[in-house]
Amino acid sequence: MPSAGESQVCTNHKIDRCRYVCRLKKLPRSQQICYTDWEKRKGGVRMPFEIVRNDITNMHVDAIVNTANPRPVIGAGTDSRIHEVAGPELLKARQIIGSIEAGHAAITPAYKLNAKYVIHTVGPVWVDGKHNEEMLLRSCYENSLQLALENKSESIAFPLISSGTYGFPKDKALQIAISVFSSFLLDHEMQIYLVVFDRTAFQLSEKLFQRM
């Protein structure tokens, strides 16, 4: 890690700790990884974070994160789609785990998905922002990344947790995801994908990056 007087400004964009916007700026692939001044001098390379508009079950990664129901049943949206593609074995594995509290995560094999693992995390239901929703959502990302790290995953795909039926505002959800990924990538190497399915979330993500 850099010491206190060493710059951590992206040498492409002059933005503190920027590691991501190169992808969205459509730079040539040779320029797509952002380096801090410190990393460039030390020869370090950080693997990028990328936002993708896709069905998460199409991702070829080591770990796919599922927005799980708190109880061991198949929920709606992303949860339903992941179980559909993974097959009935995934629900059996999920039932062995039992209930999962909001903000927590658990890991199972991925079965028929193009991944090694499914990481099940329970996002918070948005009420009014005064019921620890942001803290719990941050914990979802942090605990999922920790499980991926412990299981030697080199790549992971996240949905935008809690931003669907749980009603978490998309802009706040994106900011929390980006913040957690940024902190994690300062110390670890992992390919992180944030997979969004709808056009609105994807366009919003681009606007957020442009403001960074």
Side-chain angles (χ1 to χ4, degrees):
M1 291 295 294
S3 63
E6 291 185 297
S7 172
Q8 295 192 35
V9 176
C10 165
T11 53
N12 282 335
H13 300 112
K14 310 301 180 188
I15 300 174
D16 288 348
R17 299 186 179 183
C18 165
R19 302 183 190 284
Y20 323 116
V21 294
C22 288
R23 295 273 178 177
L24 294 174
K25 297 289 186 180
K26 298 181 172 62
L27 291 177
R29 180 163 291 276
S30 61
Q31 300 176 29
Q32 281 186 352
I33 296 177
C34 284
Y35 299 91
T36 65
D37 292 338
W38 176 80
E39 287 172 326
K40 192 172 184 179
R41 288 200 303 274
K42 301 296 184 183
V45 176
R46 299 291 184 180
M47 298 179 74
F49 157 57
E50 189 173 350
I51 291 182
V52 180
R53 188 180 178 206
N54 202 346
D55 179 338
I56 199 168
T57 62
N58 292 332
M59 300 299 292
H60 291 251
V61 289
D62 288 337
I64 289 177
V65 177
N66 180 31
T67 52
N69 192 290
R71 295 178 292 110
V73 296
I74 300 174
T78 300
D79 189 25
S80 175
R81 178 62 179 159
I82 285 175
H83 277 277
E84 178 186 354
V85 176
E89 293 84 1
L90 184 62
L91 179 58
K92 293 177 183 177
R94 175 69 181 82
Q95 288 170 337
I96 292 171
I97 293 168
S99 296
I100 302 173
E101 294 181 14
H104 291 225
I107 194 168
T108 66
Y111 300 102
K112 295 179 181 179
L113 290 162
N114 297 310
K116 296 177 183 177
Y117 308 109
V118 171
I119 296 174
H120 309 261
T121 189
V122 176
V125 176
W126 178 265
V127 181
D128 55 8
K130 300 177 182 178
H131 290 75
N132 295 323
E133 295 100 318
E134 294 187 15
M135 181 195 72
L136 289 169
L137 183 58
R138 179 174 290 273
S139 294
C140 288
Y141 287 106
E142 291 173 341
N143 290 329
S144 296
L145 285 167
Q146 184 59 37
L147 279 177
L149 195 65
E150 291 171 359
N151 286 273
K152 298 179 170 55
S153 296
E154 296 181 358
S155 56
I156 185 169
F158 283 90
L160 191 57
I161 300 169
S162 284
S163 66
T165 56
Y166 282 9
F168 209 105
K170 285 184 170 59
D171 58 341
K172 293 182 183 295
L174 278 163
Q175 288 169 349
I176 290 169
I178 291 166
S179 173
V180 174
F181 298 157
S182 177
S183 296
F184 180 84
L185 289 173
L186 286 173
D187 298 313
H188 307 287
E189 290 186 358
M190 191 179 296
Q191 177 80 47
I192 301 176
Y193 297 98
L194 183 62
V195 185
V196 294
F197 190 71
D198 65 280
R199 181 185 296 274
T200 301
F202 188 75
Q203 290 175 337
L204 177 60
S205 69
E206 289 185 308
K207 290 179 181 177
L208 278 175
F209 276 125
Q210 289 166 2
R211 294 203 301 264
M212 286 177 60

